[in-house]
Amino acid sequence: MTENIGVLGKKSARRSGVERVVTAPLPTVYGTFQAIGYLDHDGGDEQVALVHGDLGTEDVLTRLHSECLTGDAFGSQHCECGDQLASALRAVVAAGSGVVVYLRGHEGRGIGLLAKLRAMALQAEGLDTVEANLAQGLPVDARDYGVAAAILRDLGVASVRLMSNNPRKRESLLRHGIQVAEEVPLLIPPCENNITYLRTKRERLDHHLPHLDAVAHWS
């Protein structure tokens, strides 16, 4: 196949960055959103931002939600992801405006679905969520939020009220030029199936989860 050569005799430049592709109304059980679809030319992932109301530019209520098939779609109690997604969507509707950026390619803190399932199997054998990734020779957290920052910039957002318990999200947004005016806790009541996982996130990944103290009696 003949390569595409530009008028100056060079190969055509490969596209990079995030491109807004489509906007569609999305009525949900939480309220009505605009689903804005993006293509990440660098990572190859298709991304979506769910926007409710008039965002403005400052102090926008925002959730960066990492894709979690087991939690978001299947209702897994291994994690709190599905409940966090639902809570974030309810929160932006209650506030009158806000955005949930749903980040595909973040499955299992960036290691992928099959590796995440292997990690879950290892956790069932006694490893914690950090040890399970390392046992596979994988990073503890491989996620990057540069795409999220690019999407927020495309939406005209300069600063956010970030719904998260994870300080690394704040740090990453700041590195990518998005100001964080406030960190808004997104605390989901734990259950016996996820209490060990959540405690590991607090103790080894520095997540702010003070509500776990109320269930200290669970082993």
Side-chain angles (χ1 to χ4, degrees):
M1 180 181 294
T2 302
E3 291 182 313
N4 186 10
I5 305 297
V7 294
L8 298 180
K10 297 180 180 179
K11 295 180 183 178
S12 297
R14 177 180 176 273
R15 298 191 69 173
S16 63
V18 172
E19 177 188 5
R20 187 190 294 212
V21 176
V22 62
T23 300
L26 184 68
T28 76
V29 295
Y30 311 104
T32 299
F33 294 82
Q34 291 295 313
I36 305 178
Y38 291 86
L39 179 59
D40 172 13
H41 288 286
D42 297 315
D45 292 306
E46 297 173 333
Q47 308 287 5
V48 63
L50 299 182
V51 173
H52 179 78
D54 182 7
L55 294 184
T57 61
E58 305 293 333
D59 301 351
V60 176
L61 188 61
T62 299
R63 167 72 177 166
L64 309 182
H65 190 86
S66 295
E67 177 182 27
C68 176
L69 179 67
T70 51
D72 299 339
F74 302 151
S76 169
Q77 290 188 326
H78 183 271
C79 62
E80 81 278 44
C81 299
D83 287 334
Q84 284 189 317
L85 178 59
S87 294
L89 292 169
R90 284 194 293 265
V92 298
V93 171
S97 66
V99 56
V100 175
V101 181
Y102 193 87
L103 293 163
R104 303 186 66 210
H106 277 204
E107 190 77 56
R109 297 196 301 274
I111 64 173
L113 178 60
L114 296 183
K116 182 179 85 168
L117 292 175
R118 293 188 190 101
M120 290 167 63
L122 289 169
Q123 288 170 72
E125 296 175 1
L127 299 188
D128 67 29
T129 183
V130 171
E131 294 165 344
N133 280 27
L134 295 176
Q136 299 181 75
L138 297 171
V140 172
D141 192 338
R143 291 173 295 180
D144 180 79
Y145 298 95
V147 168
I151 289 172
L152 291 173
R153 283 194 295 271
D154 180 76
L155 295 171
V157 174
S159 71
V160 298
R161 297 173 57 230
L162 183 64
M163 289 186 282
S164 178
N165 311 316
N166 182 359
R168 289 178 174 84
K169 288 186 181 181
R170 175 182 180 276
E171 294 163 4
S172 184
L173 283 183
L174 291 174
R175 284 197 304 272
H176 289 288
I178 302 295
Q179 297 303 306
V180 179
E182 180 185 0
E183 291 179 81
V184 180
L186 195 59
L187 304 176
I188 305 300
C191 66
E192 292 193 58
N193 290 318
N194 65 23
I195 186 64
T196 299
Y197 168 80
L198 294 175
R199 284 176 176 154
T200 301
K201 289 213 298 186
R202 181 170 73 169
E203 295 164 7
R204 303 195 64 178
L205 299 174
D206 300 322
H207 287 221
H208 301 311
L209 300 170
H211 66 312
L212 300 186
D213 294 335
V215 290
H217 60 283
W218 282 350
S219 59

